[in-house]
Amino acid sequence: MLKKTIYWFIPSQIVIFLITIFKNHTVNLLHYINISFMLGGLFIFFGLTIYVLSSGFFDVTVYSFRRVFKVNGKELSREEVNEMRPFSELVSFNFLPLLLNGILILAIMFICLFIYY
């Protein structure tokens, strides 16, 4: 788990510095704080989204859509709908490295913010 988090963390720090350089033409602590806040927030948002999707929260909704709407012009029987895999099984991406990376980026951003002020 730690290995995957490091594999996400190092490239994200490189991306933060590259965005800071290309956008502002200098590396400034304030610009680093701003960019890292946005990128850390994106990692946390996508990590939490994957967590909610894989937890089974939307399985009932997807099941009801399958029962109500037609697929390829024909209605599905109850057995066919029950044999389909739940939506939470289709989302098999591990959310924890994304979430930990976002938390780590935001922690470093808060440390830099504390140093800045």
Side-chain angles (χ1 to χ4, degrees):
M1 183 58 58
L2 183 64
K3 194 179 216 182
K4 287 183 181 180
T5 305
I6 290 173
Y7 285 146
W8 280 97
F9 179 71
I10 292 172
S12 64
Q13 290 299 312
I14 293 170
V15 166
I16 289 171
F17 279 112
L18 288 176
I19 291 173
T20 304
I21 289 171
F22 286 134
K23 187 177 178 210
N24 303 312
H25 304 294
T26 60
V27 176
N28 190 353
L29 188 59
L30 181 62
H31 297 126
Y32 175 81
I33 291 168
N34 291 335
I35 300 297
S36 64
F37 174 74
M38 288 186 275
L39 194 64
L42 282 174
F43 274 111
I44 288 178
F45 175 74
F46 286 127
L48 289 176
T49 301
I50 292 170
Y51 170 69
V52 168
L53 291 176
S54 66
S55 69
F57 184 76
F58 292 109
D59 283 348
V60 175
T61 306
V62 172
Y63 176 77
S64 65
F65 277 124
R66 287 177 182 166
R67 291 283 300 143
V68 170
F69 295 111
K70 296 180 182 179
V71 176
N72 295 329
K74 67 171 193 157
E75 291 192 26
L76 298 174
S77 66
R78 184 178 297 264
E79 292 82 22
E80 288 175 328
V81 172
N82 289 337
E83 289 176 359
M84 290 183 179
R85 290 183 2 185
F87 184 68
S88 60
E89 290 181 10
L90 298 175
V91 180
S92 62
F93 190 76
N94 191 4
F95 66 92
L96 201 54
L98 287 175
L99 199 59
L100 290 176
N101 186 33
I103 291 170
L104 192 59
I105 289 173
L106 288 181
I108 291 173
M109 186 267 313
F110 279 121
I111 292 169
C112 291
L113 191 65
F114 182 74
I115 291 170
Y116 184 74
Y117 287 111

